[in-house]
């Protein structure tokens, strides 16, 4: 059983808690610190997005369409569906001469209540462009169109697009293709499962891709990390930990969330990778864990930690706005 990592209190009593596991690897792939079962299998979910567009970059499709760094960050993002995001997705679709109907990720309401209310007041309904994965799917369509592959079936596991993604996933996560567990993500795209250790390895390899001996692949990884560092608002959005972490650290730390309690981190300067998984899949505790871990590893400064403190020390409030408890990550006793 994995250890308790986050405790929720009410009246000084622990009312609920979240178990999970953490894995930190160095440039060589060695586990330099861990907690819980790092061999437990899970799906990286949206944390896989940074790798799902390597075929797009390596193939030349990205540059052929004249896409920008902002586009690339959004392709890798799980956005809020704010106007800044939907406008960017629409721009990509216009470049491809495609329509929202070509996106097969499904309709999803905007994350922020204010944006959802704006839609309602405008007599509009949420569409696929508001889906947090619409940027990713625009990248998928670009790869398919450039390579003259079928668009209607672009989400099929057997489609050449996902065979290319599966190959690069196996490479970066350092696991044989036949050992990748295949599932279907929330946006209907194929998703691959593997141990948490391999999820940490992959994010290390984003910063250490020269080991693969491909200049084009290494350049593509550098472009992804740079695009995200320069455009943190595209990776998530307003009031989102990924965006604020990258903005506050000026891209020194790249963090990407995944559904069901996943968080993956790349530390480019050290070429470290970190994987976090919350067992019960609750969204939120993984940010608290990441916040505590980054402080204990001394990867963020005191001032940076203070600016991000709201994500670490979560005050539980009732409907009247009264503080009735806390949600905090436990002391991880990380002593690297």
């Amino acid at each position: 059983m994995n250890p308790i990592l986050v405790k929720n209190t009410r009246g000084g009593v622990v009312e609920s808690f979240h178990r999970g596991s953490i894995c930190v690897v160095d440039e060589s792939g060695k586990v330099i610190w861990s907690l819980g079962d790092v061999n437990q299998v899970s799906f990286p979910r949206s944390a896989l997005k940074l790798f799902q567009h390597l075929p797009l970059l390596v193939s030349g499709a990205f540059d052929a369409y004249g896409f920008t760094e902002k586009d690339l960050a959004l392709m890798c993002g799980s956005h809020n569906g704010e106007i800044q995001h939907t406008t960017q997705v629409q721009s990509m679709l216009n470049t491809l001469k495609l329509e929202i109907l070509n996106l097969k990720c499904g309709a999803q309401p905007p994350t922020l209540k204010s944006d959802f209310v704006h839609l309602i007041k405008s007599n509009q309904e949420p569409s696929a462009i508001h889906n947090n994965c619409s940027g990713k799917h625009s990248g998928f369509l670009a790869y398919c169109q450039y390579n003259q592959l079928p668009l209607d079936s672009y989400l099929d596991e057997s489609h050449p697009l996902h065979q290319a993604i599966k190959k690069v996933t196996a490479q970066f996560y350092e696991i044989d293709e036949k050992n990748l567990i295949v599932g279907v993500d929330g946006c209907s795209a194929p998703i691959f499962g593997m141990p948490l250790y391999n999820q940490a390895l992959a994010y290390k390899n984003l910063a250490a891709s020269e080991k693969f001996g491909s200049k084009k692949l290494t350049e593509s990884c550098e472009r992804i990390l740079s695009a995200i560092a320069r455009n943190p608002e595209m990776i998530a959005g307003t009031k989102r930990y990924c965006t604020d972490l990258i903005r506050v650290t000026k891209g020194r730390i790249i963090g990407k969330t995944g559904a069901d309690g996943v968080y993956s981190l790349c530390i480019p300067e050290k070429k470290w990778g970190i994987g976090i998984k919350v067992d019960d899949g609750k969204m939120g505790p993984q940010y608290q864990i990441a916040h505590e871990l980054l402080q204990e590893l001394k990867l963020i400064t005191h001032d940076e930690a203070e600016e991000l403190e709201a994500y670490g020390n979560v005050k539980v409030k009732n409907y009247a706005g009264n503080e009735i408890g806390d949600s905090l990550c436990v002391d991880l006793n990380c002593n690297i």
Side-chain angles (χ1 to χ4, degrees), residues 166-175 205 212 214 217:
K166 187 175 186 179
K167 182 176 181 180
V168 80
T169 297
Q171 183 177 21
F172 275 78
Y173 284 76
E174 297 189 32
I175 187 168
N205 285 333
F212 299 122
S214 169
L217 191 61

Side-chain angles (χ1 to χ4, degrees), residues 161-217:
L161 163 68
H162 295 291
Q163 292 305 302
I165 291 173
K166 187 175 186 179
K167 182 176 181 180
V168 80
T169 297
Q171 183 177 21
F172 275 78
Y173 284 76
E174 297 189 32
I175 187 168
D176 196 294
E177 280 188 54
K178 68 176 183 294
N179 292 327
L180 287 171
I181 300 169
V182 182
V184 178
D185 213 337
C187 65
S188 296
I191 187 70
F192 308 108
M194 70 290 289
L196 185 65
Y197 167 68
N198 298 85
Q199 295 180 39
L201 273 182
Y203 269 71
K204 178 271 292 187
N205 285 333
L206 273 174
S209 59
E210 63 276 2
K211 64 179 283 185
F212 299 122
S214 169
K215 182 180 179 182
K216 187 171 288 188
L217 191 61

Side-chain angles (χ1 to χ4, degrees), residues 254-329:
I254 301 295
K256 181 69 189 74
T257 195
D260 279 287
V262 168
Y263 207 71
S264 298
L265 293 143
C266 174
I267 318 298
E269 290 180 350
K270 290 181 173 289
K271 296 185 178 181
W272 285 7
I274 299 172
I276 297 169
K277 177 67 174 79
V278 177
D279 287 348
D280 59 22
K282 179 75 173 178
M283 296 298 283
Q286 74 267 46
Y287 309 136
Q288 296 170 272
I289 296 165
H291 185 67
E292 177 67 22
L293 181 65
L294 291 173
Q295 290 181 86
E296 292 196 24
L297 290 173
K298 295 181 174 56
L299 293 175
I300 56 176
T301 67
H302 175 76
D303 288 344
E304 290 168 343
E306 284 290 308
E307 195 167 347
L308 295 165
E309 183 60 20
Y311 293 104
N313 183 3
V314 178
K315 300 297 181 183
V316 180
K317 297 181 180 181
N318 61 18
Y319 287 111
N322 299 316
E323 289 186 8
I324 47 81
D326 297 281
S327 181
L328 286 167
C329 180

Side-chain angles (χ1 to χ4, degrees), residues 24 26 70 79 99 110 118 133 147 186 197 240 246 262 303:
V24 183
D26 66 11
K70 187 173 287 189
H79 65 76
E99 301 177 357
H118 175 75
C133 297
N147 289 287
Y197 167 68
R240 293 282 300 280
I246 297 165
V262 168
D303 288 344

